[in-house]
Amino acid sequence: MPYLPRMQVAVIGADLLRHPDMNRGMAFTEEERDRFALRGLLPPRVLDINMQETRVLENLRRKDTDLEKYLFLMGLQDRNTALFYRVLVRNIEELMPIVYTPTVGLACQLYGHIFRRPRGLYVSINDAGHVREILQNWPERDVRVIVVTDGERILGLGDLGTHGMGIPVGKLNLYSACGGVDPRHCLPVTIDVGTNNTKYLDDPLYTGLVQQRVRGEAYDALIDEFMRAVRQSYRHTLVQFEDFGNSNAFRLLEKYRHHFCTFNDDIQGTASVALAGVLAGLKIAKKKISELTFLFLGAGEAGIGIGELIASAIESEGVSHEEAIKKCWFIDSKGLITSARGNLQEHKKTICARS
C-alpha cells in the first residue's frame, strides 16, 4: 500500500496512532505531527517507511519459529496497515508461507490460545434473524470481497469451528498483497454453527459456540439469510466460500452460483490452477486434452472440482459430456469409484460413478 502524500483524517492525537488504517508510526512528517496533534506522542526523529520496513524485518527475522513470526506480523497489521502490506508485498516469497499456509494452519489450531485482537466478522446460529444488523456493525460500507467459512474443513485439519477464522483473514491478506485489492474492501467472515471437534468443545479457551454442529434446515436458513443480507448491505460484492465441508460445499455452490456473484475456491479455484498446468503441459506434449485419460487420487472438493473443469475443457474440443466424464476416473479411500459401490455421496455421483 503506498503512502499518500497528504492525509485526510477524522481522528487526531493518540486516537490516530491507535487507528491501524491511518497510523504511519514514525513516518509522520513534522508538519503532520503539528496538524494532527502528534507532537510529543512520537520519538522526535522522522523515519520514512523504508527505514520502518528495515526495522520490522530485523525484528521478524530474530523470531525462532514461524508461529512467532505469524503473531509478530498480525500484531503489525493491528497497528499499522500500510507498513504491514509494504513489508508483505516486498517480501512476498519469504512471508507468504507465514501469513498463509502452512503456518496459518498451526495458528488456526491454536487460535483460542494465541488470540490477541478480533479480526473479521462472526455470525453465529444464535444470530439468526439479525444477520443484516451484524453486517451493519462492520465499519466499512464499501465491501467488495467476502471470504466466508463455517470452519468445518479447514485445510487438511478438519473441523476447527471458529478457529478457522485465520483462513479468511490470511487469504484476503494475500488478495491485497498479490492482487492489489484494497484491504478496506475486504471482509473475512466466519459462520459459527458449532463444532464436532471434541478437543475444542473441552477447551475453555475455544472462541466459538460450545455445541455440536447445527445441520439441516436451521443451517440452510442461516446461510440463506447471510447471502441475502450481503446483497442488501453491499453493492457488487463477491462471496467466496472457503473450507466448507463436502456435505455443504457442493450444494451451496450449486444453490447460489446462478443468483449471486460467488465461487468456491476449494472446488473452482484449485481446479482453475490445475487445468492451467495441464494446458501448459499439453503445449509441450503437442496433444489435445481430449486425447488424455485422467486418474484422480481423491474425490473431495479439490478432486471433483478439477475433474469437472477438465471434463468441460474436453467438451470444448467437441466431445460430448458423457464421453468427457468417462475420461476422468477417481480413487478415494475405498478404492476406484463406480456406480456398483452404492451409497455414494451426492457430489461423487455425477462425474465419478460409472459401471
Side-chain angles (χ1 to χ4, degrees):
M1 285 181 62
Y3 264 38
L4 299 178
R6 184 175 179 85
M7 295 183 65
Q8 300 293 328
V9 299
V11 294
I12 61 173
D15 288 337
L16 177 56
L17 298 179
R18 297 188 187 105
H19 196 302
D21 292 340
M22 298 180 181
N23 182 24
R24 293 184 177 182
M26 291 180 65
F28 282 108
T29 65
E30 295 288 350
E31 186 268 338
E32 288 171 339
R33 295 180 187 210
D34 288 331
R35 183 151 55 99
F36 301 135
L38 297 173
R39 184 70 63 184
L41 299 181
L42 291 165
R45 185 175 180 182
V46 175
L47 289 183
D48 65 20
I49 195 168
N50 296 312
M51 292 306 300
Q52 291 189 81
E53 179 187 358
T54 298
R55 179 163 55 199
V56 167
L57 291 172
E58 182 180 297
N59 282 279
L60 177 73
R61 289 164 180 163
R62 287 200 189 105
K63 305 299 181 184
D64 293 328
T65 68
D66 287 344
L67 183 61
E68 290 177 311
K69 293 178 181 179
Y70 174 88
L71 292 171
F72 178 81
L73 289 171
M74 293 304 101
L76 175 62
Q77 187 175 19
D78 288 338
R79 299 190 306 274
N80 190 325
T81 303
L83 183 56
F84 168 78
Y85 282 109
R86 167 76 172 217
V87 172
L88 182 56
V89 168
R90 288 163 61 93
N91 302 273
I92 191 66
E93 291 186 8
E94 176 184 356
L95 299 183
M96 185 183 291
I98 304 299
V99 299
Y100 203 60
T101 53
T103 308
V104 73
L106 178 59
C108 286
Q109 290 176 294
L110 301 174
Y111 201 77
H113 294 260
I114 62 175
F115 185 85
R116 300 292 191 274
R117 177 179 175 178
R119 301 198 68 85
L121 202 65
Y122 293 87
V123 177
S124 84
I125 191 68
N126 295 339
D127 299 318
H130 304 280
V131 176
R132 189 177 182 188
E133 297 170 33
I134 292 175
L135 289 178
Q136 295 301 312
N137 290 337
W138 187 251
E140 299 292 344
R141 299 271 66 87
D142 188 12
V143 172
R144 303 186 189 182
V145 183
I146 293 174
V147 176
V148 58
T149 186
D150 70 352
E152 186 174 10
R153 194 200 64 82
I154 297 297
L155 303 175
L157 304 172
D159 186 350
L160 301 190
T162 55
H163 286 186
M165 177 60 95
I167 298 299
V169 169
K171 184 142 288 186
L172 286 169
N173 283 339
L174 294 185
Y175 288 175
S176 295
C178 301
V181 181
D182 190 328
R184 293 170 296 184
H185 296 160
C186 299
L187 174 56
V189 177
T190 290
I191 304 288
D192 184 9
V193 295
T195 178
N196 293 342
N197 190 324
T198 56
K199 173 184 175 181
Y200 293 131
L201 293 175
D202 294 336
D203 186 348
L205 294 180
Y206 175 61
T207 59
L209 297 177
V210 183
Q211 63 179 50
Q212 293 287 313
R213 279 189 172 272
V214 172
R215 300 193 184 277
E217 293 183 4
Y219 176 91
D220 288 350
L222 181 65
I223 299 298
D224 198 53
E225 183 184 355
F226 170 74
M227 296 298 287
R228 286 186 285 106
V230 168
R231 172 172 285 173
Q232 294 164 355
S233 300
Y234 310 118
R235 298 176 59 193
H236 312 301
T237 303
L238 166 68
V239 178
Q240 173 184 326
F241 291 105
E242 184 75 23
D243 286 355
F244 281 70
N246 290 347
S247 61
N248 291 317
F250 289 96
R251 65 184 190 85
L252 291 178
L253 175 61
E254 188 59 31
K255 179 178 181 179
Y256 294 113
R257 67 191 303 177
H258 302 296
H259 306 286
F260 291 82
C261 179
T262 184
F263 81 106
N264 184 300
D265 188 45
D266 306 293
I267 298 172
Q268 297 167 295
T270 304
S272 64
V273 174
L275 178 59
V278 171
L279 295 177
L282 288 172
K283 290 183 179 180
I284 299 172
K286 293 181 171 50
K287 289 188 176 182
K288 294 182 178 181
I289 194 169
S290 57
E291 298 173 9
L292 304 181
T293 299
F294 296 85
L295 177 63
F296 296 86
L297 180 58
E301 294 171 47
I304 298 296
I306 296 169
E308 289 180 340
L309 194 58
I310 285 179
S312 295
I314 294 172
E315 287 181 60
S316 71
E317 294 184 353
V319 178
S320 69
H321 177 70
E322 291 73 17
E323 291 301 314
I325 62 175
K326 287 180 180 179
K327 291 181 174 291
C328 298
W329 295 84
F330 294 82
I331 294 175
D332 64 8
S333 60
K334 298 179 181 178
L336 186 67
I337 301 176
T338 67
S339 57
R341 181 188 295 180
N343 296 321
L344 285 172
Q345 295 170 285
E346 284 299 320
H347 67 274
K348 295 181 180 180
K349 290 181 179 179
T350 55
I351 192 170
C352 299
R354 78 284 297 278
S355 57

